[in-house]
Amino acid sequence: MKSIATLFLFGLSLSSPQAQEKPFDHYQFDIPGTAFQMSMRAIKGGGFLMGDTDKKPVSVSDFWIGAYEVTHDQFSAFYKDETITQGSKVDAITRPTAQYIDLSWNMGKEGGFPVNSMSVDAAVMFCRWLYVKTGIFYRLPTEAEWEYACRAGTSSTYPFGDNPGQMDAYAWHAQNSENKYQKTGTKKPNGWGLYDMLGNVAEWTLDQYEEDYFTVIGPNAKDPLVQPKTRYPRSIRGGSYVDEPADLRPGLRRFSEPSWNQRDPQVPKSRWWLTDGMFVGFRILRPKLQPTKEEAEKFYTLYLGK
Amino acid sequence: MNDTSNPSGRNRREFMKKGSVLAGGLIAAPLLSKANFFSGADDAIKVALVGCGGRGTGAAMQALLTKQNVKLVAMADAFRDRLDDCYKALTAEDISDWSGVKGNVKAKVDVPEERKFTGFDGYRKAIALADVVILTTPPGFRPIHFEEAVKQGKHIFMEKPVATDPVGIRRVLAAAEEAKKKKLNVVVGLQRHYQNSYRELYKRKDLVGDITSAQAWWNNDGVWVNPRKDGQTEMEYQMRNWYYFVWLCGDHIVEQHIHNIDVINWFKGSYPVKAQGMGGREVRKGKDTGEIFDHHYVEFEYADGSILNSQCRHIKNTMAKVDELIIGTKGKIFCGAAKITDLKGNALYSFDRKGENNPYQAEHDELFEAIAKGEYRFADAENGAKSTMTAILGRMATYSGQMLSWDRALNSGLDLMPKQFDWAAAPPITPGADGLYMAAVPGITKYV
């Protein structure tokens, strides 16, 4: 079953010699048309043991990943970009429709709070918008990339060791969050400078959730991706502010389900927003080997339908 | 056709059935299908959907997803394309977005061509074929449809709001009385009444002592716009872009903010006696945004002098908030956060979110269970009408800029509905030469 899992990203990484000249280092970039920056950490790829208890060797290629979860401020630059359509069924790039009610649920917006309640479509569309604006290909992490980044080279139960008692220093969780997400980057980062990988908002990945993940991706998988075929379940990583500290483990997998949008009373349900997924957010990733324009379009089309 | 004048469209068999139920002495709610008045051996509860838009499709889906033996037998919509989209969604192979499991409800959809009704008068024929009707058209039509469904002796699920003007409210109140006499279950889609967190808060409302004031918000970006298309008559255009016309929608204070206003009425146990407020149009100035306001702020006063401050706004890039806050002599109820505190902020009660339900599904689960058991349990229409009236009172106050009493507004005789329902007929408001509609102007617009 390696084919579906790996062919796609393999295809991406085969090509595209561009963007190789620059040194592979951390960087910041301005979100076009705004005063907001995004901070990207360069992560050297490699092999690691993936999984919560049953661990298997997997390897990933070099990438940059957001040091922080994407915030409401950053997402708003896209959501409020009046130069593109909103909720279009025909345009390749379009903004999410208006939220029927306020889906931040009064947990905070301006000033660095993580954006939440979006579907994976909305998260990928944000990446596509960044691509159009900056010429750099961004996407969500795969499960494997996410876990590799979260572990930051460690193999302990938690990235900081085996004692969940230390979790308070690193993560917003059920015991310290007062049932709300908090501003990003207010706890300690992991060893690779990544904040809030565990807790705060849970993070979307590109993968369909497969119970039997390692069987699907095959042994010693390189850059595995379980390409999604259905809207649910998708793989979510990192846990959130509603989870107990002991459950915030790099290898713990969660999945999306229809109940996350149960209070959307319309048919069809919103493509963009989740009425009951207030604990979900995302961070972005830039593969070091950038795809060609055609490959990038193919990727976005795969996820967004056009 | 004049839709309001001739109630005699129901068929004879339906009349006979109603007669039989009445003759039976109303020992229980009319349990329709099992009495076999309709089409033979199938003992499914027969449902008709009147209004096949996004919400109507959702409501029908929820009815079909209840545990009861339910069958959709008839559909009606003004527009054939909306009806077709709805039928397609209900008969889809995979509705896992809804149910969470692979599968579908298409076996519960039995709506052949001859039971699909379009135009302004299709509702009567659809209602006649069912035991339970789902009324989900734009709200202006609700009084007409509700009245007819009650007349035909059907159980009813109807969406909020239940009217757009005081004359419509009076029709609904009268039909609600009739429904009670006939023991027809009526559920109104003010779904917070069916939501666990609100029900738990309500049970504990005495923790805050006497309610002295409240805040209610529905502030966000607003909703869809359906721009005018070539070849549409003015009536068709308004029906397609219904949100922006008061006779169809009621304005957003009525169409959406009713949810929050209704919560305050519910917890307060009464309805305001008067209101004054302000509102207008800051951004809703185009040809496709009709006549409704984009913001309202209303001070409602209850008989005991307590005040509800109500605000609703449809303006992009402004603070979004949809919530209710109830303040009593001993504490506060934060509805969105689902918690109760004392006046110093110490928690008195906090609802465990894990216990939250899907209130839209619960409405149908509870309604259809009652119907299946032959029980009479729901009489939501009166509160639905009075909470709708509260929002209409607010709109009349902001449109006119005057202080208005409940009684004066309810008895105003304000009737916004067209005299004639026909695609070629002129709606009650038409655009000027510039393509724009005349919106209310406080100080000039008179309501009573």
Side-chain angles (χ1 to χ4, degrees), chain B residues 178-189:
Chain B
E178 193 64 19
K180 279 183 199 166
K181 284 184 200 147
K182 292 184 175 179
K183 301 199 176 181
L184 303 173
N185 286 292
V186 180
V187 166
V188 172

Side-chain angles (χ1 to χ4, degrees), chain B residues 16 20 30 34-35 55-56 108 120 172 177 183 193 198 225 269 274 280 297 387 413:
Chain B
M16 295 298 289
S20 307
K34 286 192 177 151
R55 179 62 199 123
K108 297 182 170 193
F120 287 101
V172 173
E177 278 310 300
K183 301 199 176 181
H193 291 263
Y198 281 88
V225 175
K274 58 184 175 178
Y297 196 112
S387 275

Side-chain angles (χ1 to χ4, degrees), chain A residues 141-244:
Chain A
T142 64
E143 274 197 70
E145 289 162 340
W146 189 95
E147 185 172 332
Y148 181 75
C150 181
R151 289 189 177 281
T154 66
S155 55
S156 43
T157 310
Y158 307 97
F160 47 79
D162 293 320
N163 177 10
Q166 286 179 265
M167 189 62 82
D168 258 1
Y170 294 91
W172 294 106
H173 52 75
Q175 300 303 324
N176 66 8
S177 70
E178 296 183 343
N179 206 25
K180 287 181 204 168
Y181 58 60
Q182 306 288 332
K183 286 187 181 179
T184 63
T186 49
K187 293 289 187 182
K188 282 191 197 173
N190 73 5
W192 288 350
L194 305 176
Y195 294 85
D196 303 301
M197 290 296 286
L198 299 173
N200 216 18
V201 287
E203 299 178 15
W204 284 113
T205 72
L206 286 180
D207 294 67
Q208 184 95 60
Y209 179 86
E210 282 287 352
E211 190 67 45
D212 213 359
Y213 177 77
F214 289 119
T215 308
V216 173
I217 65 169
N220 301 304
K222 179 164 169 55
D223 292 327
L225 167 69
V226 183
Q227 202 171 295
K229 292 199 176 69
T230 59
R231 184 166 188 185
Y232 302 102
R234 301 285 181 93
S235 185
I236 311 285
R237 292 303 202 102
S240 77
Y241 62 88
V242 300
D243 290 306
E244 293 299 325

Side-chain angles (χ1 to χ4, degrees), chain B residues 79 225-229 232-242 244-245 248 286-290 423 427 431 435 437:
Chain B
F79 297 110
V225 175
N226 287 327
R228 192 185 292 272
K229 286 184 182 156
Q232 286 176 331
T233 64
E234 181 64 24
M235 181 66 91
E236 176 175 2
Y237 166 66
Q238 293 195 15
M239 290 281 284
R240 296 273 186 190
N241 199 27
W242 63 265
Y244 300 93
F245 298 96
L248 283 160
K287 291 179 181 175
D288 281 315
T289 50
W423 296 119
Y437 296 84

Side-chain angles (χ1 to χ4, degrees), chain B residues 75-260:
Chain B
M75 298 165 72
D77 197 278
F79 297 110
R80 180 66 200 214
D81 59 305
R82 300 294 278 164
L83 191 152
D84 287 343
D85 286 350
C86 175
Y87 183 81
K88 206 170 139 194
L90 295 175
T91 54
E93 286 298 327
D94 181 10
I95 58 156
S96 56
D97 264 18
W98 274 79
S99 57
V101 290
K102 282 255 191 254
N104 56 62
V105 291
K106 63 180 188 176
K108 297 182 170 193
V109 179
D110 179 21
V111 190
E113 196 55 32
E114 64 269 22
R115 295 205 291 265
K116 292 174 178 168
F117 303 100
T118 52
F120 287 101
D121 58 353
Y123 69 95
R124 271 196 197 126
K125 296 167 200 156
I127 289 170
L129 295 166
D131 308 321
V132 185
V133 298
I134 295 174
L135 305 179
T136 44
T137 61
F141 294 102
R142 201 86 70 246
I144 300 168
H145 295 169
F146 178 63
E147 205 170 62
E148 180 67 17
V150 171
K151 200 172 284 169
Q152 293 197 27
K154 311 300 184 178
H155 299 287
I156 294 155
F157 171 84
M158 64 173 163
E159 263 302 344
K160 43 46 64 175
V162 301
T164 57
D165 59 34
V167 166
I169 294 292
R170 286 199 158 283
R171 288 177 73 168
V172 173
L173 285 170
E177 278 310 300
E178 193 64 19
K180 279 183 199 166
K181 284 184 200 147
K182 292 184 175 179
K183 301 199 176 181
L184 303 173
N185 286 292
V186 180
V187 166
V188 172
L190 289 162
Q191 79 283 347
R192 284 163 174 77
H193 291 263
Y194 295 81
Q195 185 169 344
N196 288 346
S197 55
Y198 281 88
R199 285 173 163 181
E200 294 303 314
L201 291 172
Y202 182 79
K203 277 185 210 162
R204 294 169 178 82
K205 69 184 171 67
D206 291 344
L207 288 173
V208 302
D210 296 330
I211 294 169
T212 53
S213 72
Q215 304 277 130
W217 301 264
W218 193 301
N219 295 342
N220 67 358
D221 286 1
V223 301
W224 47 264
V225 175
N226 287 327
R228 192 185 292 272
K229 286 184 182 156
D230 289 344
Q232 286 176 331
T233 64
E234 181 64 24
M235 181 66 91
E236 176 175 2
Y237 166 66
Q238 293 195 15
M239 290 281 284
R240 296 273 186 190
N241 199 27
W242 63 265
Y243 209 92
Y244 300 93
F245 298 96
V246 182
W247 68 276
L248 283 160
C249 162
D251 202 319
H252 66 112
I253 187 175
V254 177
E255 212 282 330
Q256 286 188 323
H257 192 37
I258 180 179
H259 281 298
N260 319 104

